Amino acid sequence: MLQPDELSTIGGLQPLVEIINRADRTTERLILEALDARSPELAEEIRRRMFMFEDIVNLEDRAVQLVLRQVEPADLATALKGVPETVRDKITKNLSERGRENLIEEIDLLGPVKVKMVEEAQAKIVSVIRSLEDSGQIEVQRGGEADELIA
C-alpha cells in the first residue's frame, strides 16, 4: 500500500521532452510534425524545451570547447553540412586556427552527404552535450529559461 509521501506525479511535458530528446532526429522530427498537426501550441512548447543541434549557438564558448574536445572530427564535419552560418561560425571560432582550417577542408572534401548521415552526426554531438550537462560540466540554456538577477 502506498503512503501519501510515496506518491509522485507521472506525465507532463518534461518527461515527453526527455523521451523525444533521446530519440534519433528522424523520429524527433516525425513526432513534432504529428504534434504540430494536432496541437501547434503544444509542439511549440516542446520545441522550446528541447535542445537541438542548432541551439549550440546558445552555449558559452567554454562549453563549446569542451564539447569539441569529445567529438570526432569526421562527425563534426558531417554535422556541419548544410547548417546555418551562425552555427558554423560558433563552432569554428572555438577551434584553433589549424583546427578551423582542417575542419573547413574536411567539410569541403565530404561533398554531398545524405541527410540521414548529417542527422546521425548531429545526434552524436547533441548526445555529448547532454552527457556534459548531466555531469554538470556545462549548462544548457533552453527556451524560456533566463538567468535573472535578484537584488
Side-chain angles (χ1 to χ4, degrees):
M1 191 162 176
L2 291 176
Q3 299 299 318
D5 61 335
E6 295 175 3
L7 297 176
S8 64
T9 303
I10 298 175
L13 280 183
Q14 197 53 42
L16 177 58
V17 169
E18 291 171 13
I19 290 168
I20 295 171
N21 269 336
R22 285 177 171 59
D24 60 81
R25 288 288 299 253
T26 304
T27 303
E28 179 182 296
R29 187 173 48 244
L30 290 172
I31 291 170
L32 289 172
E33 286 172 1
L35 278 173
D36 261 335
R38 289 181 176 224
S39 174
E41 301 84 20
L42 178 62
E44 185 56 36
E45 178 64 24
I46 290 171
R47 278 189 184 92
R48 282 198 3 245
R49 293 178 182 216
M50 290 178 62
F51 184 88
M52 310 278 276
F53 180 77
E54 292 77 12
D55 294 331
I56 202 164
V57 298
N58 299 325
L59 293 177
E60 294 178 4
D61 287 344
R62 185 188 71 70
V64 173
Q65 292 162 13
L66 276 172
V67 171
L68 293 176
R69 284 188 208 122
Q70 296 189 25
V71 172
E72 293 294 323
D75 288 335
L76 184 59
T78 304
L80 290 176
K81 291 293 277 190
V83 297
E85 200 64 34
T86 54
V87 176
R88 191 179 284 200
D89 289 345
K90 179 70 170 188
I91 290 176
T92 56
K93 83 174 192 174
N94 282 289
L95 290 169
S96 66
E97 188 174 332
R98 182 173 179 214
R100 185 174 333 146
E101 290 169 0
N102 289 343
L103 177 63
I104 292 168
E105 182 179 327
E106 188 156 352
I107 292 170
D108 292 340
L109 290 174
L110 278 174
V113 178
K114 292 183 180 180
V115 171
K116 183 175 175 129
M117 289 179 63
V118 172
E119 290 176 347
E120 288 172 355
Q122 289 176 348
K124 287 180 185 178
I125 294 170
V126 169
S127 176
V128 168
I129 292 168
R130 289 182 185 139
S131 68
L132 288 170
E133 179 186 26
D134 289 345
S135 69
Q137 294 180 54
I138 65 173
E139 187 175 314
V140 174
Q141 293 290 329
R142 289 181 172 77
E145 288 185 11
D147 287 337
E148 295 182 24
L149 297 176
I150 300 175

